[in-house]
Amino acid sequence: MTATESPNPLHADLDLYSSVAMAEALIADQRLAVEAVYAAHAKIAEAVDAALPRMAQGGRLIYVGAGTSGRLGVLDSAELHPTFSWPQERALGILAGGTKAVFDAVEGAEDSHADGIADLERHGVNGHDVVLLITASGGTPYVMGALLAARRAGALTVGFANNPGAALTAGADIGITLDTGAEMISGSTRLKAGTAQKVALNTFSTMMMVSMHKVYGNLMVDVRATNNKLVARTVALTKHATGATDALAASTLQACGHNVKLAIVVIKTGLVASVAAKLLEDKGGSVRAALGETAS
């Protein structure tokens, strides 16, 4: 029996706990998830460094999983476009059982090795892609099938599993073990195993976006202004980065199509938007490079 499936000996009487004691115990157990991800930080950094050249070649981030793990992959992929303007077609969330499985359990979907192969092949996985395979057990047949298809296609494979010595982490190009141990409710990996996966995926994708110049300092300068809240955020970000007034930030953003990066370069350099846009393009989208700034 794997660690994630084993009953937790520390909480054999969970159903007898008071509400306060149960809340304390569940939250304390979740802290172990962050510790498990922290222990794997060097492997996550290795995965980012290996993935970046594929993205420079136009590759995609493809998340694959079943159940909770798959839903977490779908969530991470969906958030990259509004947060960082990452092209939607370059962040795919593939879930055993398809879209229906986001909302309803599709019984048996995770057990099909053949479906994992077929779903990856249907999406035309190739050597420029980075495939993130996520499973608590580390041996889910659907995910292992996807791993096989991804490796055949020459994609970079990164496996996330919560059990040490898992087949997935052994078979992936880079295996990341998030050793969260037994769950408080035996086998319920939506608890700290899922939390660890969420933190690890969030860390990986955020590092990727920062490294691809989607962030200036720690400012979200590639945000998509798709609603009133985000329009206000673009003004605040531009003001913070440049020291401009509300009026100058707003008018410059208007002239720049609410592109925060471009507005920052326009205000800081005094260039017109078209010239500033060409400068940004020549500098690979890096605001720092466009402004001639160097790391301190």
Side-chain angles (χ1 to χ4, degrees):
M1 185 179 291
T2 62
T4 54
E5 293 294 324
S6 299
N8 191 323
L10 300 178
H11 301 284
D13 295 324
L14 179 65
D15 60 337
L16 300 179
Y17 288 9
S18 69
S19 294
V20 170
M22 190 182 300
E24 181 183 20
L26 282 163
I27 295 166
D29 200 51
Q30 290 279 355
R31 291 178 180 172
L32 300 178
V34 178
E35 293 177 10
V37 181
Y38 184 79
H41 73 273
K43 295 297 288 185
I44 295 173
E46 178 186 345
V48 169
D49 290 341
L52 285 169
R54 310 262 180 155
M55 296 300 100
Q57 296 168 341
R60 298 171 293 176
L61 294 173
I62 302 176
Y63 299 71
V64 183
T68 296
S69 300
R71 294 183 191 101
L72 289 168
V74 169
L75 175 62
D76 205 68
S77 68
E79 291 177 338
L80 297 183
H81 179 64
T83 308
F84 300 109
S85 295
W86 185 248
Q88 289 175 305
E89 67 274 12
R90 293 182 65 191
L92 305 181
I94 301 177
L95 176 61
T99 304
K100 180 179 186 295
V102 173
F103 304 100
D104 298 302
V106 178
E107 298 300 333
E110 68 177 51
D111 296 329
S112 178
H113 189 272
D115 283 354
I117 295 173
D119 284 353
L120 262 287
E121 291 179 344
R122 180 165 49 83
H123 284 88
V125 63
N126 62 66
H128 296 316
D129 294 331
V130 176
V131 181
L132 309 173
L133 304 120
I134 316 136
T135 165
S137 70
T140 302
Y142 178 88
V143 177
M144 297 306 293
L147 170 64
L148 177 60
R151 297 211 62 168
R152 283 176 180 170
L156 175 70
T157 55
V158 182
F160 296 84
N162 296 87
N163 286 307
L168 175 64
T169 49
D173 294 309
I174 300 172
I176 299 174
T177 300
L178 309 171
D179 186 5
T180 46
E183 296 287 4
M184 280 193 60
I185 298 175
S186 57
S188 183
T189 51
R190 62 178 286 274
L191 296 174
K192 68 175 179 287
T195 300
Q197 292 169 2
K198 167 63 175 160
V199 175
L201 292 173
N202 193 239
T203 300
F204 174 87
S205 60
T206 301
M207 288 178 67
M208 290 289 293
M209 296 299 127
V210 172
S211 299
M212 290 187 287
H213 312 304
K214 302 290 187 179
V215 172
Y216 173 50
N218 65 349
L219 304 180
M220 189 194 302
V221 292
D222 245 344
V223 63
R224 300 278 297 177
T226 54
N227 58 39
N228 291 336
K229 178 189 76 173
L230 294 178
V231 169
R233 183 178 295 171
T234 64
V235 174
L237 289 167
T238 303
K239 286 176 55 185
H240 186 89
T242 64
T245 63
D246 280 342
L248 178 58
S251 63
T252 305
L253 281 163
Q254 187 71 32
C256 294
H258 288 281
N259 183 319
V260 178
K261 277 185 171 183
L262 183 55
I264 291 170
V265 175
V266 166
I267 292 171
K268 284 202 159 190
T269 64
L271 297 171
V272 298
S274 59
V275 177
K278 181 63 167 59
L279 176 60
L280 260 177
E281 181 183 356
D282 291 345
K283 298 299 183 179
S286 169
V287 173
R288 282 203 187 277
L291 297 176
E293 299 176 352
T294 57
S296 57

